[in-house]
Amino acid sequence: MRSNDIKRGYYKAWHRSLLKALGYCDEEISRPLIGIANAYNEIVPGHLHLDMITEAVKSGVRIGGGTPVEFPTIGICDGIAMGHCGMRYPLPSREHIADSIEMMVEGHRFDGIVLVSNCDKITPGMLMAAIRLNIPAILISGGPMLAGKYKGEPIDVSTVGECQGRYAAGDIDADELIEMENLSCPTWGSCSGMFTANTMNCLSEALGMALPGNGTIPAVYAERIRLAKKTGMQIMSLLDKGIKPLDIINKKSLENAIVVDMALGGSSNTALHLPAIAYEAGLTLDLGLFNQISDSTPHLCNMSPGGPFHLEDLYEAGGVSAVIKELVKKDLINLGELTVTGKVLGENIKDSKVKNRDVIRDITNPWHQMGGIAVLKGNIAPGGAVVKRTAVAPEMWKHKGPARVFDFEEHAQEAIYSNKIKKGDVVVIRYEGPKGGPGMREMLIATSALVGMGLDKDVAIITDGRFSGATRGPAIGHISPEAAESGPIALLEDGDIIEIDIENNILKAEISDEEFTRRQKEFKLPEPKVNKGYLYFYSKLASSANEGAVLKWRC
């Protein structure tokens, strides 16, 4: 056991005395020490109950014969950070979470680790740490909140964002906006649509790093507590069998995650997080693979924000296991990959059934023949750009219009809310990438405003920043290279004609090579937006979005 480094032998009496100061008795010290990384806090709705989840995990560890040792990690709510300078921090926090878990686990020599997560950057950050440490590890999320109800129809936090636009357009009054605000998030848990948090928690099952049910059992259900206890017991089984993350995470399991992502119509942010997870495993996940898999994977689940269903509906329809079982019909899943159950994926899903064909379509009758995400390329984005195409109205899959260029998200928001953006425009928001933001902010406020004001079928947004999983409409992000790396997006000017062709994976400006060259010669980078603190550190070391926006440590 690794923990023998701090507890075995007469020369470890020093260490044992400190453990006993915590109240641990000899029997507890003699058992395997299991670190429990708990992201609990009182500001993230998906984390408010993680103390209960953690207590359940601890019970499971004790049942399995181990000693649980809880420690904290940070978590930022993307929704609360949205639309202001605080949005620079969530993506960089992913790296901080991974680093802090590495430090705690290695400094205290835990034998295994349970990762208690929820929400956007916390789940991928924890998975990155698990792979980097490569000791027995398992993830348990807090689960999704229930959808709200308004006049008998389901609503969620993205509905509120769109209502802000409707209010600005004069379509609803303040009383209706407040009523939506009060009803949209009725319980704790990760936001109820197939946004980034729930996408990553579902993909953790497909990757094999979480028990079945992790992505869809609602946060407020007793079944979630039982799953947490099983997770605590299962970490002891993984320790006994010597199963580690690098026995689970490989190219085939990552391909499984992308396939499931496409079938679910998941968040475009997975194009950041899965390459980052792959990087920790010493693998390269090229964006071209997303297109390759998306082109051959049917879109089976029409979840909010693109469709009417929420995570509780997917849970009742059979969950992620049922989706995987459906994908097997076209031989799209690698069934022989090991998982944290100690079994291969095919064994985990063999008894799964689809219980609602409206929520999980038959693979012969999908919502779309292609998956949820597309990678676009062209002279604006030679390194690629990402769009959640299943959340885009069909009439906007092909669009051509004049650029309206902004160097700050807030300036674009102001223009949208003040009716300065006209039908046909392409809003360009730049210097919001990993280095330029810094931190690669999400643009949900801007996209929600467009939807609420009825412009989502007439106006597109392109950016070197990113979009929330709650985004719908023609929102194209992750443009690489970014403006702060002198990418072509930095050379765009108001009035340039931008062509978007999602069907053919094209994003380009009608600008000649000669004109681009002329502009490049005259171009000068602006002063950095941040020159101190963690964001400054991140801006100097972060890779491009098409490489996962990671802090590169591999030589």
Side-chain angles (χ1 to χ4, degrees):
M1 290 191 294
R2 285 162 42 101
S3 61
N4 286 340
D5 291 349
I6 64 168
K7 66 187 187 184
R8 177 170 290 180
Y10 73 88
Y11 50 91
K12 300 297 181 183
W14 169 297
H15 305 74
R16 291 193 297 273
S17 70
L18 292 170
L19 292 173
K20 289 179 178 179
L22 296 164
Y24 292 115
C25 61
D26 288 326
E27 289 79 5
E28 289 174 300
I29 294 171
S30 69
R31 295 171 182 170
L33 301 184
I34 305 299
I36 315 290
N38 181 7
Y40 166 81
N41 60 57
E42 295 182 341
I43 190 64
V44 183
H47 291 205
L48 185 64
H49 64 307
L50 293 190
D51 53 346
M52 291 189 291
I53 299 293
T54 298
E55 286 304 315
V57 170
K58 289 179 181 178
S59 295
V61 170
R62 293 188 183 104
I63 290 168
T67 297
V69 184
E70 178 184 348
F71 64 87
T73 130
I74 66 165
I76 298 174
C77 178
D78 281 41
I80 295 174
M82 197 78 66
H84 53 82
C85 62
M87 194 65 228
R88 292 172 175 156
Y89 285 91
L91 183 58
S93 78
R94 183 190 68 183
E95 318 304 308
H96 181 82
I97 290 163
D99 294 346
S100 66
I101 292 172
E102 175 194 353
M103 293 176 195
M104 288 296 291
V105 170
E106 293 290 43
H108 302 103
R109 307 306 292 157
F110 295 127
D111 299 301
I113 185 169
V114 179
L115 307 159
V116 182
S117 177
N118 230 11
C119 301
D120 299 44
K121 310 308 168 295
I122 296 86
T123 294
M126 287 184 163
L127 290 172
M128 289 162 66
I131 296 164
R132 188 186 304 173
L133 291 162
N134 199 34
I135 62 172
I138 187 170
L139 183 134
I140 170 73
S141 79
M145 68 171 64
L146 299 179
K149 290 286 192 298
Y150 181 72
K151 295 182 178 179
E153 296 297 322
I155 61 173
D156 55 45
V157 69
S158 66
T159 315
V160 181
E162 292 167 13
C163 282
Q164 291 176 181
R166 292 176 61 198
Y167 177 79
D171 292 340
I172 62 172
D173 60 22
D175 289 341
E176 187 169 358
L177 179 60
I178 291 170
E179 190 170 8
M180 287 285 191
E181 172 187 324
N182 290 337
L183 296 174
S184 66
C185 300
T187 73
W188 57 69
S190 49
C191 297
S192 57
M194 191 56 75
F195 312 150
T196 305
N198 290 327
T199 301
M200 288 307 302
N201 288 333
C202 288
L203 298 194
S204 297
E205 290 186 47
L207 279 169
M209 286 298 295
L211 294 179
N214 177 72
T216 57
I217 298 170
V220 294
Y221 283 16
E223 188 179 353
R224 174 63 57 178
I225 299 297
R226 294 197 296 272
L227 185 72
K229 290 179 181 177
K230 291 176 182 177
T231 297
M233 289 185 274
Q234 190 58 26
I235 189 64
M236 300 309 298
S237 176
L238 295 176
L239 189 63
D240 183 58
K241 295 175 181 177
I243 297 175
K244 301 175 183 178
L246 286 178
D247 299 319
I248 295 171
I249 301 295
N250 55 46
K251 195 66 175 286
K252 288 184 177 181
S253 62
L254 286 161
E255 287 175 355
N256 283 344
I258 298 174
V259 170
V260 173
D261 187 15
M262 299 306 164
L264 292 174
S267 166
S268 61
N269 282 317
T270 56
L272 286 172
H273 298 321
L274 291 177
I277 289 167
Y279 179 73
E280 293 290 345
L283 302 169
T284 299
L285 208 58
D286 186 86
L287 283 184
L289 182 61
F290 282 79
N291 266 350
Q292 179 184 328
I293 290 175
S294 186
D295 288 347
S296 61
T297 304
H299 175 216
L300 303 180
C301 304
N302 202 16
M303 311 292 291
S304 175
F309 301 112
H310 292 82
L311 267 291
E312 63 205 79
D313 302 311
L314 183 58
Y315 162 74
E316 292 169 2
V320 175
S321 292
V323 175
I324 295 173
K325 188 76 170 286
E326 195 64 26
L327 292 165
V328 170
K329 292 180 179 178
K330 286 200 171 181
D331 198 28
L332 295 170
I333 293 289
N334 302 303
L335 293 174
E337 299 311 300
L338 185 64
T339 74
V340 291
T341 65
K343 302 174 183 177
V344 298
L345 185 62
E347 294 177 278
N348 290 350
I349 66 159
K350 64 181 176 64
D351 296 325
S352 300
K353 296 178 181 177
V354 176
K355 302 173 184 176
N356 186 327
R357 282 295 178 189
D358 291 329
V359 179
I360 304 174
R361 288 271 185 102
D362 189 286
I363 202 162
T364 62
N365 181 37
W367 290 96
H368 301 93
Q369 292 296 333
M370 297 182 293
I373 292 174
V375 176
L376 314 183
K377 288 192 175 184
N379 61 359
I380 301 174
V386 179
V387 62
K388 187 173 181 177
R389 62 183 166 195
T390 50
V392 180
E395 52 264 52
M396 284 298 289
W397 278 42
K398 290 191 177 185
H399 179 76
K400 188 182 289 188
R404 295 292 311 280
V405 181
F406 302 91
D407 290 349
F408 293 85
E409 179 198 3
E410 289 86 347
H411 294 172
Q413 288 178 29
E414 181 184 354
I416 293 167
Y417 278 122
S418 59
N419 295 305
K420 293 177 182 176
I421 302 301
K422 306 303 180 185
K423 289 185 177 183
D425 286 348
V426 176
V427 176
V428 179
I429 308 176
R430 62 190 179 190
Y431 296 104
E432 292 288 4
K435 293 182 180 294
M440 203 178 182
R441 292 196 288 176
E442 291 180 345
M443 310 289 158
L444 178 61
I445 301 299
T447 56
S448 295
L450 287 176
V451 172
M453 297 172 79
L455 293 172
D456 58 306
K457 296 179 181 179
D458 300 287
V459 174
I461 296 182
I462 69 172
T463 180
D464 53 8
R466 59 194 177 91
F467 294 102
S468 165
T471 297
R472 66 185 176 102
I476 300 167
H478 305 204
I479 289 178
S480 301
E482 62 176 292
E485 290 187 306
S486 303
I489 189 175
L491 306 178
L492 295 180
E493 299 176 357
D494 279 345
D496 288 340
I497 300 301
I498 309 297
E499 180 185 351
I500 298 166
D501 186 344
I502 294 174
E503 185 175 347
N504 293 300
N505 305 106
I506 292 170
L507 175 64
K508 66 180 184 180
E510 292 185 352
I511 302 172
S512 67
D513 292 343
E514 292 77 15
E515 176 62 12
F516 259 134
T517 300
R518 184 192 68 78
R519 293 184 189 182
Q520 184 70 61
K521 288 178 180 178
E522 298 176 359
F523 173 71
K524 289 184 180 180
L525 277 173
E527 289 295 312
K529 294 176 183 175
V530 175
N531 58 13
K532 63 181 180 180
Y534 183 69
L535 287 177
Y536 179 75
F537 166 77
Y538 179 83
S539 71
K540 294 300 181 185
L541 298 179
S543 73
S544 181
N546 64 345
E547 296 178 322
V550 296
L551 299 183
K552 286 202 165 183
W553 51 267
R554 293 186 185 277
C555 297

